[in-house]
Structures are given as C-alpha cells and as structure tokens.
Amino acid sequence: MKVLVLGLPRTGTQSLSDALTKLGTGPIYHMREVAERNHQALWISAVSAKFEGAGAPWTTRDDFDRVFAGFDGVADYPAAIFPAELAAAYPEAAIILSVRSEDQWYASMASTLVHLQRARARAGGASAPTGMATLSAMYHRHCWGDDFETTGRGFFHEHNDLVRGLAEGRRFLEWRPEDGWGPLCEFLGVESPPDGTPFPRSDDWVEYKKKVQEEERLGRERGCGGS
C-alpha cells in the first residue's frame, strides 16, 4: 500500500484518486469500487464489527487486503471510516488528508449523501434495501447519529484531528481541492503534468445535485404561488 487518503467524503476524494492514478500511484480503491466488486457485504460486516461488536473487528493487513488486493491506495468511504485501523495495518503508506472548509463540506454533504439517505428513509419499505443502501444507512447512523445537522460539523473536526494525529512521524500531506497538482506532485516526488493539464474534476454526484437544486427551485416556486 502506497497511500491512504483518509479525508471524509465530499472533500475531493474522487478527483484526488484519479489524479493519483494519473501520476503513477494507483489504482485507488474508492467508494465506486464497492458496488463494482460486490464488496457490500464485506464492508457491512466490517462496520458491524467496529461499531456494534458483531464479529471480529478488522485490524490487520490481512483483514483489509481482502478488499484492497491489487490497489496502491484507498480513498473515501467506506475505507475512511477506519482511519486508525488502516494507519496501523499499513505503516509503510503515506497519509493524505483531503479537506475543505467546514461550510463547503457541510453544504456538499447535505445536498448529496445526507439528502439521498433522507430520501431512502422517507421511502421506507417501498422496496427492499440494496447492499449499498444498507451500508450507507449504517455509516449515517454510526458516524453522525442520523442527525447531520446537529453532529455533522463536530464529526468533521473530530475526524480531521484524528487523522492529523495518526500522521505524526510519517509522510503526510493535507490537501485541498484548490491545491491542484503542485503540492501533490511535490509530495509524491514526481514531475508535474505539462502546463495546462487540467486537474481531474470527477464527481459522481453531479446529476444528483442538479436534481436536488431543481427540486428546491420548484419548491420555492410553489411556495411563492401559494402565498
């Protein structure tokens, strides 16, 4: 394992994963890999063991290699739910903490992961939950107690401080999306891409956010029409 990207979701982890791969540190295991590799049940088991005492917790390299075999790094949830465990399991790996301002992160989470989880909860038993939906429900419950408005901001700071503490004495970079190539290339000891090469701006949630914005716009219009 070469690098552990331990920042929270919605801190540029997908773009950073793509950038690392372009720079020769990859592939990176990102949330998108979970469904593609049918790893939902494995991660549900890991989260259950960590937070609910159901089964043996994942603590060793062998535990995590069950899902990370063939990857040079990890990023995003569900991996970043286990920052201390990963730092201990892969002591040779550099650590990158991807961060954004608290307000940017909060707004992005509210319009994507949190919004989707609320929509699923409202739908109730309309359809059987998928493995991804079950995994999502678990980390919403265990990370911010299904009350993102009250505890989300505190969790953001607690998580970031935890990762900074884990990084003491090892190679560490705190990276923001606006930093682009420069700090990342310097950290990795590789040449920057040719001038003008755009930094990856990958976001699987683009269409979902557009849908949320349209729903909010229609809601405002209905509200004005009814006044």
Side-chain angles (χ1 to χ4, degrees):
M1 187 67 68
K2 295 179 179 178
V3 63
L4 305 172
V5 179
L6 298 179
L8 290 170
R10 310 311 302 162
T11 59
T13 58
Q14 189 174 342
S15 298
L16 182 54
S17 296
D18 291 345
L20 286 165
T21 299
K22 287 180 180 292
L23 294 172
T25 300
I28 305 295
Y29 188 103
H30 187 273
M31 170 64 91
R32 66 186 114 172
E33 301 290 342
V34 177
E36 289 181 9
R37 296 175 182 274
N38 200 28
H39 284 170
Q40 298 95 320
L42 285 169
W43 284 112
I44 289 169
S45 174
V47 174
S48 295
K50 175 168 181 165
F51 293 105
E52 300 168 8
W58 291 17
T59 58
T60 69
R61 183 185 297 258
D62 287 344
D63 291 328
F64 288 103
D65 276 352
R66 287 182 289 172
V67 292
F68 297 148
F71 288 88
D72 287 338
V74 303
D76 201 72
Y77 272 12
I81 298 173
F82 302 85
E85 295 90 339
L86 288 172
Y90 299 105
E92 78 283 3
I95 292 177
I96 298 178
L97 174 62
S98 52
V99 294
R100 299 175 74 179
S101 75
E102 176 187 321
D103 288 342
Q104 287 177 323
W105 176 79
Y106 183 92
S108 185
M109 286 287 292
S111 65
T112 55
L113 278 77
V114 175
H115 186 278
L116 177 58
Q117 181 59 24
R118 298 274 170 79
R120 285 169 171 163
R122 288 194 297 271
S127 59
T130 65
M132 291 301 293
T134 299
L135 178 60
S136 173
M138 291 178 74
Y139 68 70
H140 280 274
R141 181 167 69 252
H142 292 300
C143 291
W144 39 84
D146 280 329
D147 188 359
F148 187 74
E149 288 78 6
T150 301
T151 64
R153 292 177 184 271
F155 179 80
F156 173 81
H157 291 291
E158 290 171 6
H159 177 90
N160 291 342
D161 287 344
L162 171 62
V163 174
R164 293 180 184 115
L166 294 170
E168 292 181 6
R170 59 199 292 172
R171 294 180 58 233
F172 174 67
L173 172 68
E174 190 161 322
W175 179 90
R176 295 173 179 271
E178 59 266 28
D179 291 343
W181 294 114
L184 186 60
C185 292
E186 182 179 355
F187 179 69
L188 296 173
V190 300
E191 292 187 6
S192 297
D195 288 346
T197 301
F199 194 88
R201 299 296 177 190
S202 312
D203 187 357
D204 287 340
W205 289 89
V206 169
E207 294 304 316
Y208 189 87
K209 287 187 287 186
K210 289 180 181 178
K211 178 182 176 182
V212 172
Q213 291 168 357
E214 179 65 12
E215 289 175 353
E216 292 175 345
R217 183 187 67 80
L218 292 174
R220 289 193 298 270
E221 290 180 354
R222 286 194 294 268
C224 290
S227 59

